[in-house]
Structures are given as structure tokens and as C-alpha cells.
């Protein structure tokens, strides 16, 4: 073979990607999941095939020579979803920018174009790979023509390869015989009729024996009797179906192998499109490829070059000049003996201060702190990004004048996965700027600024221009540019971001809730939570013994030893050796997912033990062993708490995730014993009681639900009484349990199917429970319906405090996506309001402990007690013994008064010598 050609079935791969990847939208609301999936499949195959020539074929319309032969051809297909249709011109725009030929032809389908070029190229001695999600292309498989069919599941793609022998192995017929087989069995997706009553199995048997429809008809008496009459009576239909199924390989299309040469695929225009549609990982691939071949970078917005300041005298002049402005942009980094400070005064005045021998780190840090403090005192607005990351070394502790614009961007679109400076520049300034990956790669920013690389591979091509000295200088310059962006972009974007926040009713939420929260979270991270390392070690040993014991029981009951952590081995034992029913076999073996095993557990005790083994193993690896890696030298875990991650506004926890410690099992609860307060202190735990149900009552205005809370009635027992039509005194524990599931399920927009699965009852019975619930609380039903209607009309819902949750899924043509969107519309106002209330309460408690008013004015010395953990609706406070009574009373009052609702918030306050004892 003299070359390699990759041919792609455009619509097929785009459609497969669309249905295989969850719905994605850009910040401008453009659907992009199909394009993103298409490109990932494309690059995966390019890397695997190492093809040097490439072309993509698209259908022009449904009207082709086949519809003239048979008007019903593809007539049963649904119209292309609008979310997919809008992505066709996008992928074609990108392919053109990548200099990849797009092939179309009136009256013919993409399959015919691919077949023609594949066979033509084969004759010219060219090796061909055809990429398509359509198995019809299998008929093209030949010695030098490989058919690649990708299958995407849960965002992951696997490509299956077919040569003639592979087609024969899977279908039992040769590629050409595959056409005849389809002619007999028909194809419902293309509405090819086939022969009535002949299915896939019979069609395969006939073609394996006679090799063609014509030969089978010529020997009609030898055809199996069940199909004999059908073929005799519908031979004309079989021939028509075969013609419809046959890919034309002589389309008169103008195409040469040279036209498909892969040339300049990774270029400036294509990279700009990747950034425009927010494909970060793909954009990074383009940047890397362009650097490899020495290509110039995409035309990026030229920010003013920062002036590097390493002299304290020059620094003093610039800092003094800054106080004459109305607003400043800044970003501060400091670690040990190094400090860097970016400062933007205006569109063309940009500084990067870097500590040096003449300008020591501590002095620069002091100068930066004094500038920011004085600027805030004078009323200047101070704009930055990722403020919480800077607070540990910011001399200024708290100021209402500092604005974190990454949080503003999060409020405006909480569905994005990042709010970096390049995202904000693109979305709110219309600028394309290089991000951290393009400028410094994976190098640490502060170290890179001082010319110290932390990864072997340099970030940009020019870094390797000459010797090590020049490479370090180039890296330092790129780092200075990046640091300058972190000050420049927030200052430039401030006006637009604040305008949009005001227009969308979230300005107060931003300034009065989210900005103070930066300080509350920073304080909590700084304090950390103490861990009893001996208790953690003992807990690990106890879990290990329990794991070993349950493992031994499982092996005894199954009659053999095997790897319990191997789904393949476990599936074989359960569904083949033990013959359990309900096994779902996939290409990699039987599914042993939790939902599968949970259905088996009531009937098979050994499955219950397997589930217990998994739960214990997760506790052991993630917490008993995993937590020890996060314990600092002071014996405390200083985790990270994030406020720009969740779409609902809830705070999340990472490194480690302390919010995810299991509480439903005794072993999970026991883990809480290892978290202890400082010596001589006590934990105070304050937990909102049924906060989301109380919010539901308040927001819905349902009088019966509101009165139940006002009268302090057991809400689950009351719901059981109403739903099951029994007196309150006759409610059984099981009735209350089921009513509790309904109460909380309604908050999350639960379906009859979901409730039925949770309670192990029929879907019909579950539906009855839900209907009775809505009859009991009609205000709730109206509220939930109103939220869905509002979201469909406006594209979002709001919390009580104005937080917006966009719901693009409601515009989907996919039923499952729309159903999910409806559940989100019902739940987000409730869960989001609960998140807002917790943030307000946390801020107020933290301010009170710090001796400050809610406005930040000092009214007394800080207390010795501190918030050390926030978990969902719960605050954990490490409390000095002499402050115990005051803290308990204060936290209860502040949390219960965090929101003025028609239903009073209730807080349970407990204390103990460890976290476990607080419950």
C-alpha cells in the first residue's frame, strides 16, 4: 500500500456522539455535545490509524435515488433533533478550518460517496479506513478496507474494527452476503421492508446456504419451509430491498487522493474555533500540535505588556500612583521567600512586582497589603479572581471593597466547569487570551515567574530556542504575562459582570452573601479540623478485620476464592456458577453495579455480604487509610471548600471530601469519632432540622404544610395519616417511613418509578402515594408545576434569594433529558434556597465569633471558638469551654434567623468530645 486514507461518515458519527454524550452548551447557549464527541472520536481514530489523508462525507438531504425507487425509504425516521441540527454547520465550519475535505453529492447518500472513494482508492493501492456508526458500511469491508464502528457510552468511546473475517465472525456471512441478508430481513431504521416473516436468524441461515437472494430463489424448493412461501410471494420486495441496501461504489464524484492530504490541520483559525466553542482540552491539543511543528500561535488579544518591578523605590512610586485611581485589579502570590503581586491601574498600566534581593518577599507583601488596605479605606473597588486562594497571605483580612469576579461569573452561569481568566475574557470582554496551559503548561505559576520549571516539558515552543538560561527567561516572561492577566481581566470585566448581575437580580446575593463567604471558608480552611491519629489507626484495623471476615464468608458461600474487586470474576461466579437470575451481560462481562446487586440481595444473602464488603472497603480505602495522607504537621486536616462548583449553590468539599462521610451505616458513623476538638475544647454541632421541607412549605404557601410546622406536628406522621387515611395515632412506623420517603422525594422531583424502587413497591402503588400527597398538599403541586412552567418559558428558576439555576435540558428533544430538567426545575429553588440560608448563617456565625458585626465592624475581641467544618445543613464549631453556653445560644439564634420565611427555621444544637458524640 502506498498511502493511508481515513474516510468518515459525517452525520453518522455526529449523531452517535450526540446521543452518547450528555447535553453540553457553551456559555452563549450553543449546543456542543455532538461536535465535542465527534472531534474526540476523530482524534482518537487519527492517533490510532496514523492516516496521512482524510475526508468527511455528509448527506445533503433525504431525497436520493433510493427514495425514487421506494418512497417509504427512511420514511419512519424521526426528524433530527434541533439541538443536533444546529451542530451540523458547526462541525462543518470546524472541518473546513482544519482543511479537511467535506464531500457531498446530490441524489446520493454519504455511504455511496464513502463506498465509491474507498473502492477507487483500493484500486490505486491505498489502504482505507471507513469510520461510521452505521453497520451498513460493513459490506465495504475488504482486504485493504477496514470498517471502524465507534460505540460511545457514558462519555467513553470504544472503536470496533472490521475486516471481512471480522464481519464473517460476527454475522456469519461475508461483507457482500451481508447485503443479501439485509435484503431478506429488512431494516426498520431505514424502513427497508425486506421479506415479511423473515427475521435476522432465518435470513442468515438462507444466505449462509445459498449466498445470495437470487440463488435462494433459484432453489426455492430447498429454502426452509417457514420462509419458502414468503420468499416466493415477495421475491420482488427482496430484490428491491437488496437494491436499497446496496452501497453504490461508482458515484461520479470529483475526488483525488491528493485532495485529502492532511496538511495544516492544526492551525490558528481552527484553534480559535476550539476556544470559541469552549473545547479546552481540544484547544490544548491544537496548541501542542502547533508548537511541535513550529506554527505561530492563534491571533490572541494583545494585552498591555506588564512592567516588571523588582526594586522597592520603583514599587513605591507605582503603588502611590495606584491610589489615584477609582478601581484596581490585583492578584497576589506568596510562598516562603517568594512573593509576586500583579497590579492593574488602567487599560494600559499594568505591573508585575516580583520579590528580589533588593525587594525582599516580606517587604513586598507588606507593601501590597498596605496598598490594598488604603485603597479599600478610600473606597476604591479592588477586583481580582479566586480571592479565597489569596487570603492566607493577604495582609488585609476582610473588606467589602474587594470583588472576586470569578464568583460573579459563577453566579451568572453556574453550569460551567471553570471561571478562569481566559473564560471571563472570552465571555465578558470578547477577547481570546492564552490560558495557563498555553503559557506555562503544568508549571507552578510562582516558581515559573522566578524561572524555575516544575515539569520537564516546556510550555511553549520558544522556551527551547537556545540554552537553559534563555528557556528560564522565556518561562518567566510567560508567567509574568499570566499573572498580569489575573489582575487585568477582572478590572476590565468588572463593569459588564456587575451590570449583568444587577440585571438578573443577583447583585445583593453576590456582595452580601458570596463575597463574605470567601472569608468564612478561608477562616475554616485555616483552622482545619483535628484528627485523633491513634483512633484513626484503630478504626482502620477494625475495618480490615471486618473486611477479612466478610470476605471469608463470601468465599465459603460461593465455594471458591476469587477477586471480589473484579466485576468480571464476580459476575461469572454469581450468574454462571451460582445461576442467579437477572444478570445483564455486556461485552466485558456481567454487570455487577450496585443497582443490580441491590435487587438480588433480598433473595441471595451472599449478595448482601458482597454489598457490605464494598461499603467496608470504600470506608477503609477512602477514609481509614485515605484521610491520613491529609493530616498536616499540626495534627489537623485543612481541607478545601469550594463555592463555584455546584449548580445549586451548595458548598462542596475536596482534598479530602469531608462532606461525603457515610452516616447511614454504623461503621460510617463510627468514623466521626476520630474527629476531635483542640485540647480542652468541645465540639458544638448545629444542624438545621428538615430545612428543605420547611422551605418547600414556605415557598409553596401550602397552608396545611405551613400549619403543621407552626403546630410542631411530626410532618412525616401527618403525611402518613393523610396519605393512608388513618388517624394520626394509628400511623405505624412503616407508614411513617414511606411517608418520609414521599416527603423528601417530592423535594427532589422523584418519579413514581424512583419512589417504587426506593420503597420496593410497584410503580402503580408509588404513583398512588404521590397523587395522594398532592391531594393532601395542593399548594405544593401548584408550586412545583409553576417552577417547571417558569423554567420552560425563561430557561431558569430562582431561589428565594434570587440565585439563578439555568436548565437547558428543558429545551431538549430527548424525553429523558427533559424529564431530568423538570426534576431540576422542581428541586433547585428548594435546594438552592437551603444553600443560600446556610451561607448566610455561616457568615453571621463566623462574624460573631470574630467579634464583628454583619457589616464587618469590630464590636469586641475575637472569641476562642471557631467553625471547623460545614457539611450540608450542619456547622461544627470547636468551642472553648468558657464560651460553650454563649456559642450554643448564639449559633442557634443566628442560624434560625438567617432567613425570614413563613415557616420558622429550626436548629438542633448538640455538643460532645468528638463529632460522633454530637449526634
Amino acid at each position: 500500500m502506498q498511502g493511508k486514507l481515513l474516510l468518515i461518515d459525517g452525520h453518522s458519527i455526529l449523531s452517535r456522539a450526540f446521543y452518547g454524550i450528555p447535553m453540553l452548551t457553551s456559555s452563549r447557549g450553543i449546543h456542543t455535545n455532538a461536535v465535542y464527541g465527534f472531534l474526540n472520536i476523530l482524534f482518537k481514530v487519527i492517533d490510532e490509524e496514523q492516516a496521512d489523508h482524510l475526508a468527511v462525507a455528509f448527506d445533503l438531504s433525504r431525497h436520493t435515488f433510493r427514495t425514487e425507487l421506494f418512497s417509504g425509504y427512511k420514511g419512519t425516521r424521526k426528524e433530527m433533533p434541533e439541538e443536533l441540527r444546529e451542530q451540523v454547520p458547526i462541525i462543518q465550519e470546524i472541518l473546513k478550518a482544519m482543511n479537511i475535505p467535506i464531500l457531498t453529492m446530490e441524489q446520493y447518500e454519504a455511504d455511496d460517496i464513502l463506498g465509491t472513494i474507498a473502492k477507487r482508492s483500493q484500486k490505486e493501492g491505498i489502504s482505507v479506513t471507513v469510520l461510521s456508526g452505521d453497520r451498513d458500511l460493513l459490506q465495504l469491508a475488504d482486504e485493504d478496507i477496514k470498517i471502524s464502528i465507534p460505540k460511545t457510552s457514558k462519555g467513553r468511546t470504544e472503536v470496533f474494527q472490521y475486516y471481512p473475517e471480522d464481519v464473517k465472525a460476527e454475522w456469519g456471512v461475508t461483507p457482500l452476503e451481508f447485503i443479501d441478508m439485509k435484503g431478506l430481513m429488512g431494516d426498520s431504521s431505514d424502513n427497508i421492508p425486506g421479506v415479511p416473516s423473515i427475521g435476522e436468524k432465518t435470513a442468515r441461515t438462507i444466505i449462509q446456504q445459498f449466498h445470495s437472494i437470487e440463488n435462494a430463489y433459484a432453489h426455492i424448493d430447498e429454502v426452509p419451509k417457514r420462509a419458502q412461501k414468503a420468499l416466493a410471494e415477495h421475491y420482488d420486495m427482496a430484490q428491491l430491498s437488496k437494491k436499497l441496501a446496496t452501497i453504490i461504489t461508482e458515484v461520479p464524484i470529483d475526488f483525488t487522493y491528493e485532495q485529502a492530504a492532511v496538511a495544516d490541520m492544526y492551525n490558528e483559525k481552527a484553534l480559535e474555533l476550539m476556544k470559541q466553542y469552549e473545547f479546552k482540552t481540544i484547544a490544548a491539543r491544537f496548541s501542542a500540535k502547533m508548537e511541535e511543528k513550529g506554527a505561530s500561535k492563534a491571533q490572541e488579544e494583545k494585552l498591555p505588556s506588564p512592567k516588571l518591578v523588582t526594586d522597592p523605590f520603583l514599587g513605591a512610586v507605582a503603588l502611590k500612583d495606584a491610589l489615584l485611581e477609582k478601581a484596581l485589579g490585583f492578584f497576589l502570590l506568596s510562598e516562603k521567600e517568594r512573593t509576586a503581586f500583579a497590579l492593574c491601574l488602567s487599560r494600559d498600566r499594568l505591573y508585575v512586582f516580583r520579590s528580589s534581593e533588593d525587594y525582599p518577599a516580606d517587604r513586598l507583601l507588606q507593601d501590597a497589603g498596605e496598598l490594598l488596605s488604603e485603597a479599600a479605606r478610600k473606597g476604591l473597588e479592588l477586583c481580582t479572581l479566586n480571592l479565597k486562594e489569596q487570603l492566607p497571605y493577604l495582609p488585609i483580612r476582610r473588606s467589602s471593597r474587594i470583588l472576586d469576579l470569578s464568583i460573579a461569573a459563577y453566579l451568572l452561569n453556574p453550569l460551567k466547569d471553570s471561571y478562569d481568566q481566559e473564560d471571563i475574557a472570552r465571555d465578558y470582554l470578547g477577547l481570546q487570551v492564552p490560558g495557563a496551559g498555553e503559557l506555562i503548561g503544568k508549571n507552578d505559576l510562582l516558581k515559573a515567574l522566578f524561572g524555575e520549571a516544575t515539569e520537564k516539558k516546556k510550555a511553549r515552543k520558544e522556551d527551547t530556542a537556545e540554552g537553559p538560561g534563555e528557556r528560564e527567561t522565556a518561562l518567566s516572561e510567560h508567567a509574568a504575562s499570566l499573572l498580569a492577566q489575573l489582575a487585568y481581566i477582572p478590572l476590565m470585566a468588572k463593569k459588564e459582570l456587575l451590570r449583568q448581575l444587577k440585571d438578573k437580580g443577583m447583585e445583593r446575593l453576590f456582595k452580601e452573601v458570596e463575597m463574605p463567604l470567601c472569608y468564612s471558608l478561608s477562616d475554616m480552611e485555616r483552622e482545619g479540623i483535628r484528627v485523633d491519629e491513634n483512633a484513626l489507626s484503630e478504626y482502620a484495623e477494625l475495618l480490615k478485620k471486618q473486611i477479612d471476615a466478610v470476605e471469608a464468608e463470601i468465599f465459603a458461600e460461593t465455594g471458591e476464592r476469587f477477586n471480589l474487586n473484579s466485576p468480571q470474576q464476580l459476575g461469572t461466579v454469581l450468574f454462571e456458577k451460582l445461576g442467579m437470575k437477572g444478570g445483564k451481560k455486556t461485552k466485558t462481562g456481567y454487570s455487577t453495579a450496585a443497582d443490580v446487586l441491590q435487587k438480588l440481595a433480598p433473595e441471595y444473602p451472599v449478595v448482601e455480604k458482597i454489598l457490605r464488603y464494598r461499603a467496608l472497603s470504600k470506608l477503609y480505602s477512602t477514609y481509614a487509610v485515605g484521610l491520613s495522607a491529609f493530616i498536616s504537621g499540626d495534627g489537623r486536616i485543612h481541607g478545601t471548600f469550594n463555592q463555584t462548583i455546584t449548580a445549586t449553590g451548595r458548598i462542596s468539599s475536596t482534598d479530602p471530601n469531608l462532606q461525603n462521610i457515610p452516616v447511614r451505616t454504623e461503621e460510617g458513623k463510627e468514623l466521626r469519632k476520630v474527629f476531635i476538638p483542640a485540647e480542652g475544647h468541645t465540639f458544638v454541632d448545629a444542624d438545621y432540622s428538615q430545612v428543605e421541607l420547611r422551605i418547600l412549605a414556605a415557598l409553596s404557601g401550602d397552608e396545611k404544610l405551613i400549619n403543621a410546622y407552626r403546630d410542631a406536628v411530626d410532618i412525616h406522621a401527618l403525611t402518613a395519616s393523610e396519605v393512608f387515611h388513618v388517624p394520626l395515632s394509628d400511623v405505624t412506623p412503616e407508614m411513617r417511613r414511606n411517608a418520609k420517603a414521599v416527603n423528601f422525594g417530592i423535594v427532589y422531583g422523584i418519579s413514581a418509578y424512583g419512589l417504587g424502587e426506593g420503597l420496593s413497591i410497584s410503580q402503580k402503588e408509588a404513583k398512588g402515594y404521590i397523587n395522594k400527597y398532592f391531594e393532601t398538599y395542593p399548594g405544593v403541586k401548584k408550586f412545583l408545576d409553576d417552577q417547571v412552567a417558569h423554567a420552560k418559558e425563561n430557561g431558569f428558576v430562582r431561589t428565594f434569594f434570587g440565585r439563578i439555576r439555568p436548565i437547558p435540558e428543558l429545551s431538549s428533544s430527548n424525553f429523558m433529558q427533559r424529564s431530568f430538567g423538570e426534576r431540576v426545575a422542581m428541586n433547585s429553588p428548594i435546594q438552592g434556597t437551603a444553600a443560600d440560608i446556610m451561607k448566610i448563617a455561616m457568615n453571621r456565625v463566623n462574624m460573631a465569633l470574630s467579634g464583628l458585626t454583619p457589616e464587618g465592624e469590630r464590636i469586641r475581641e475575637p472569641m476562642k471558638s471557631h467553625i471547623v467544618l460545614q457539611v450540608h445543613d450542619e456547622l461544627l464549631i470547636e468551642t472553648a469551654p468558657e464560651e460553650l453556653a454563649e456559642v450554643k445560644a448564639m449559633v442557634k439564634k443566628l442560624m434560625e434567623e438567617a432567613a425570614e420565611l413563613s415557616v420558622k427555621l429550626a436548629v438542633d444544637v448538640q455538643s460532645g468530645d468528638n463529632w460522633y458524640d454530637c449526634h
Side-chain angles (χ1 to χ4, degrees):
M1 292 286 112
Q2 66 178 27
K4 207 167 188 182
L5 173 63
L6 174 60
L7 297 173
I8 299 176
D9 186 348
H11 274 114
S12 173
I13 298 301
L14 196 66
S15 178
R16 183 164 292 273
F18 177 78
Y19 289 107
I21 293 178
M23 197 69 71
L24 299 175
T25 56
S26 70
S27 57
R28 294 181 295 157
I30 299 171
H31 292 94
T32 57
N33 64 318
V35 176
Y36 179 74
F38 183 104
L39 292 171
N40 276 318
I41 293 171
L42 170 66
F43 295 132
K44 179 182 177 70
V45 176
I46 285 176
D47 290 344
E48 290 175 351
E49 295 294 326
Q50 293 297 302
D52 47 18
H53 289 68
L54 170 65
V56 183
F58 284 92
D59 298 324
L60 279 180
S61 71
R62 284 192 178 182
H63 184 75
T64 66
F65 78 91
R66 289 183 178 86
T67 54
E68 293 177 2
L69 286 173
F70 178 55
S71 60
Y73 179 68
K74 293 190 176 181
T76 56
R77 283 198 179 181
K78 294 181 180 178
E79 287 294 319
M80 184 184 294
E82 189 55 41
E83 302 93 326
L84 174 56
R85 186 187 305 279
E86 73 179 41
Q87 296 185 65
V88 175
I90 295 175
I91 191 61
Q92 291 181 342
E93 175 189 30
I94 289 173
L95 291 172
K96 287 176 182 175
M98 293 171 65
N99 297 307
I100 296 174
I102 294 176
L103 309 175
T104 59
M105 187 106 183
E106 292 285 355
Q107 288 290 303
Y108 294 96
E109 296 179 52
D111 290 1
D112 302 313
I113 297 171
L114 296 172
T116 297
I117 295 174
K119 293 298 184 181
R120 187 189 299 175
S121 299
Q122 183 188 27
K123 291 176 182 177
E124 296 173 2
I126 297 163
S127 176
V128 180
T129 295
V130 180
L131 178 66
S132 175
D134 189 349
R135 68 183 185 186
D136 290 354
L137 274 295
L138 293 175
Q139 64 186 268
L140 297 176
D142 210 337
E143 184 179 349
D144 300 311
I145 300 176
K146 177 174 65 179
I147 311 301
S148 294
I149 298 183
K151 296 183 181 179
T152 304
S153 177
K154 297 180 180 180
R156 298 184 63 184
T157 299
E158 186 177 357
V159 180
F160 294 83
Q161 317 283 5
Y162 293 89
Y163 282 106
E165 59 270 23
D166 303 305
V167 177
K168 185 73 179 286
E170 184 166 328
W171 293 92
V173 295
T174 67
L176 289 178
E177 289 173 346
F178 184 79
I179 305 171
D180 292 80
M181 181 176 158
K182 190 170 180 180
L184 288 177
M185 61 187 271
D187 185 343
S188 58
S189 65
D190 287 340
N191 200 31
I192 295 176
V195 176
S197 79
I198 293 183
E200 181 181 320
K201 187 176 180 180
T202 303
R204 181 185 292 110
T205 300
I206 292 172
I207 299 305
Q208 284 176 338
Q209 181 178 354
F210 299 102
H211 307 294
S212 72
I213 290 173
E214 292 77 13
N215 194 39
Y217 185 70
H219 298 83
I220 195 69
D221 293 340
E222 300 173 34
V223 171
K225 289 189 176 179
R226 285 184 303 169
Q228 197 175 100
K229 183 179 179 183
L231 179 58
E233 292 180 357
H234 301 283
Y235 178 58
D236 57 338
M237 190 65 75
Q239 287 184 305
L240 172 63
S241 297
K242 179 178 178 178
K243 186 172 289 188
L244 293 173
T246 301
I247 291 175
I248 302 300
T249 58
E250 296 180 353
V251 174
I253 187 168
D254 183 20
F255 174 85
T256 64
Y257 178 64
E258 289 71 25
Q259 290 172 346
V262 175
D264 197 25
M265 186 165 67
Y266 299 100
N267 59 64
E268 296 171 358
K269 184 177 180 181
L271 174 59
E272 191 173 337
L273 287 173
M274 300 307 169
K275 290 182 177 181
Q276 178 183 322
Y277 292 110
E278 301 168 24
F279 301 144
K280 286 191 175 182
T281 55
I282 297 176
R285 176 191 176 101
F286 270 68
S287 296
K289 292 287 186 182
M290 289 165 66
E291 289 169 14
E292 285 175 10
K293 67 176 183 178
S296 61
K297 293 197 64 64
Q299 290 300 313
E300 294 161 336
E301 182 70 17
K302 293 295 183 182
L303 269 61
S305 297
K307 183 174 182 179
L308 186 64
V309 179
T310 58
D311 179 88
F313 175 76
L314 294 176
V317 173
L319 294 174
K320 185 177 180 180
D321 193 26
L323 291 173
L324 301 176
E325 301 297 325
K326 293 182 179 180
L328 300 174
F330 76 91
F331 198 89
L332 180 65
L333 287 172
S334 185
E335 184 180 274
K336 296 179 181 178
E337 302 302 315
R338 291 171 173 170
T339 295
F341 180 56
L343 182 65
C344 182
L345 280 63
S346 62
R347 193 172 293 277
D348 55 358
R349 286 185 296 163
L350 190 54
Y351 299 91
V352 168
F353 298 78
R354 188 179 69 191
S355 60
S356 65
E357 189 174 337
D358 295 328
Y359 203 169
D362 56 352
R363 180 173 177 180
L364 173 54
L365 194 61
Q366 180 181 343
D367 286 351
E370 289 178 354
L371 165 71
L372 296 176
S373 297
E374 182 64 14
R377 190 185 67 79
K378 287 191 170 186
L380 277 70
E381 283 191 319
L382 305 173
C383 307
T384 191
L385 303 175
N386 304 319
L387 173 63
K388 183 168 69 69
E389 295 178 12
Q390 302 175 65
L391 287 177
Y393 38 78
L394 255 182
I396 177 172
R397 293 300 310 151
R398 191 180 298 271
S399 173
S400 61
R401 305 305 300 174
I402 300 181
L403 305 177
D404 184 338
L405 279 309
S406 56
I407 295 175
Y410 160 71
L411 287 175
L412 291 170
N413 188 354
L415 302 185
K416 290 170 61 65
D417 60 358
S418 67
Y419 304 91
D420 296 330
Q421 78 281 358
E422 67 264 37
D423 301 307
I424 294 173
R426 179 192 62 241
D427 297 342
Y428 301 99
L429 296 173
L431 306 180
Q432 294 286 347
V433 300
E438 295 173 61
L439 287 170
I440 62 170
K442 295 181 180 179
N443 285 294
D444 175 87
L445 175 54
L446 189 59
K447 291 180 179 178
L449 186 65
F450 286 84
E452 180 183 329
T454 53
E455 65 164 347
K456 292 181 180 179
K457 183 182 177 183
K458 299 302 177 226
R460 293 161 71 102
K461 183 71 178 180
E462 54 266 37
D463 290 352
T464 59
E466 296 294 338
E470 291 194 20
R471 289 200 297 269
E472 290 172 359
T473 300
L475 182 62
S476 178
E477 289 174 354
H478 301 326
S481 296
L482 178 59
L483 189 61
Q485 284 185 22
L486 294 170
Y488 177 86
I489 289 170
L491 179 62
M492 294 301 109
K494 171 183 71 81
K495 183 177 180 181
E496 178 61 19
L497 281 161
L498 293 183
R499 182 192 68 77
Q500 290 196 30
L501 282 174
K502 186 174 182 179
D503 289 348
K504 294 185 177 180
M506 291 190 288
E507 189 175 31
R508 283 190 64 188
L509 181 69
F510 171 61
K511 291 186 176 180
E512 298 179 14
V513 179
E514 293 290 352
M515 285 311 308
L517 186 67
C518 290
Y519 300 94
S520 299
L521 295 180
S522 178
D523 291 344
M524 186 166 64
E525 291 177 357
R526 185 185 68 252
E527 292 300 327
I529 186 168
R530 187 179 175 209
V531 177
D532 185 334
E533 295 189 61
N534 290 330
L536 183 61
S537 179
E538 291 171 4
Y539 178 72
E541 290 178 13
L542 177 64
L543 279 181
K544 189 67 173 67
K545 288 178 182 177
Q546 292 178 331
I547 291 169
D548 292 343
V550 76
E551 183 182 58
E553 290 176 12
I554 293 169
F555 291 158
E557 292 186 35
T558 57
E560 68 174 278
R561 296 184 65 84
F562 59 96
N563 184 355
L564 270 168
N565 298 313
S566 166
Q568 292 89 346
Q569 292 184 36
L570 177 61
T572 300
V573 170
L574 296 184
F575 301 112
E576 292 186 6
K577 180 180 178 181
L578 299 181
M580 294 184 186
K581 297 178 181 179
K584 300 176 182 177
K585 194 165 187 179
T586 65
K587 286 185 172 59
T588 56
Y590 291 95
S591 171
T592 58
D595 60 331
V596 174
L597 297 187
Q598 283 164 0
K599 290 178 182 178
L600 294 169
E603 188 175 351
Y604 302 100
V606 70
V607 176
E608 184 66 45
K609 291 177 180 177
I610 291 167
L611 288 170
R612 177 166 168 73
Y613 170 85
R614 286 184 175 179
L616 290 171
S617 296
K618 180 172 178 59
L619 276 173
Y620 180 77
S621 61
T622 305
Y623 299 108
V625 176
L627 285 179
S628 60
F630 293 99
I631 301 175
S632 299
D634 60 359
R636 304 172 80 92
I637 289 177
H638 299 269
T640 299
F641 293 86
N642 313 291
Q643 68 185 112
T644 61
I645 298 295
T646 68
T648 58
R650 277 195 179 275
I651 299 165
S652 69
S653 166
T654 52
D655 302 322
N657 184 356
L658 295 176
Q659 295 184 333
N660 209 28
I661 293 175
V663 294
R664 294 185 179 180
T665 64
E666 191 56 39
E667 292 84 4
K669 292 177 183 177
E670 284 285 322
L671 178 60
R672 294 190 171 204
K673 288 182 179 179
V674 310
F675 296 97
I676 58 175
E679 197 70 38
H681 286 56
T682 301
F683 273 153
V684 168
D685 186 282
D687 193 358
Y688 278 114
S689 173
Q690 299 180 355
V691 64
E692 291 185 346
L693 287 177
R694 292 172 186 271
I695 290 168
L696 174 62
L699 297 186
S700 68
D702 187 277
E703 285 301 320
K704 186 173 287 188
L705 205 52
I706 291 172
N707 289 334
Y709 277 111
R710 284 177 178 168
D711 298 338
V713 176
D714 180 337
I715 194 66
H716 302 314
L718 177 65
T719 299
S721 173
E722 296 285 353
V723 168
F724 299 115
H725 302 295
V726 297
L728 197 59
S729 58
D730 292 344
V731 170
T732 66
E734 183 180 2
M735 287 178 180
R736 186 183 183 280
R737 180 178 68 84
N738 289 350
K740 182 178 180 180
V742 176
N743 274 331
F744 286 112
I746 293 298
V747 170
Y748 288 90
I750 199 167
S751 64
Y753 173 79
L755 182 61
E757 288 286 296
L759 295 178
S760 298
I761 59 177
S762 70
Q763 189 170 333
K764 182 178 180 182
E765 190 175 358
K767 180 66 174 173
Y769 285 0
I770 293 173
N771 289 340
K772 288 176 184 176
Y773 177 94
F774 285 137
E775 289 171 11
T776 303
Y777 305 117
V780 172
K781 171 68 171 161
K782 182 179 186 306
F783 169 73
L784 297 177
D785 288 345
D786 287 348
Q787 295 307 303
V788 173
H790 180 278
K792 286 181 177 178
E793 181 178 349
N794 300 283
F796 64 86
V797 288
R798 283 187 185 275
T799 69
F800 181 76
F801 296 92
R803 182 184 303 274
I804 284 175
R805 168 51 152 106
I807 312 178
E809 294 87 355
L810 286 174
S811 62
S812 172
S813 60
N814 181 285
F815 173 76
M816 297 299 289
Q817 287 281 334
R818 289 198 309 277
S819 298
F820 170 76
E822 290 177 359
R823 292 194 296 275
V824 170
M826 296 176 198
N827 169 248
S828 290
I830 303 165
Q831 191 177 126
T833 298
D836 292 339
I837 288 173
M838 173 49 80
K839 289 178 175 180
I840 293 168
M842 189 175 179
N843 287 335
R844 292 183 179 181
V845 170
N846 189 55
M847 296 286 270
L849 293 173
S850 302
L852 304 172
T853 67
E855 292 73 34
E857 296 178 7
R858 181 159 300 285
I859 53 174
R860 68 176 189 183
E861 288 301 306
M863 298 176 73
K864 298 176 184 177
S865 305
H866 305 280
I867 299 174
V868 293
L869 192 60
Q870 186 277 328
V871 178
H872 305 311
D873 305 321
E874 174 184 2
L875 283 182
L876 190 64
I877 301 166
E878 187 176 74
T879 309
E882 66 272 21
E883 297 173 349
L884 181 60
E886 182 182 359
V887 167
K888 290 177 78 170
M890 178 196 72
V891 71
K892 182 176 177 67
K893 181 177 186 296
L894 291 177
M895 288 179 70
E896 289 183 344
E897 294 177 354
E900 294 183 10
L901 302 173
S902 56
V903 174
K904 189 179 186 301
L905 296 173
V907 176
D908 297 324
V909 180
Q910 304 290 335
S911 59
D913 292 332
N914 58 54
W915 192 11
Y916 179 91
D917 290 344
C918 292
H919 290 269

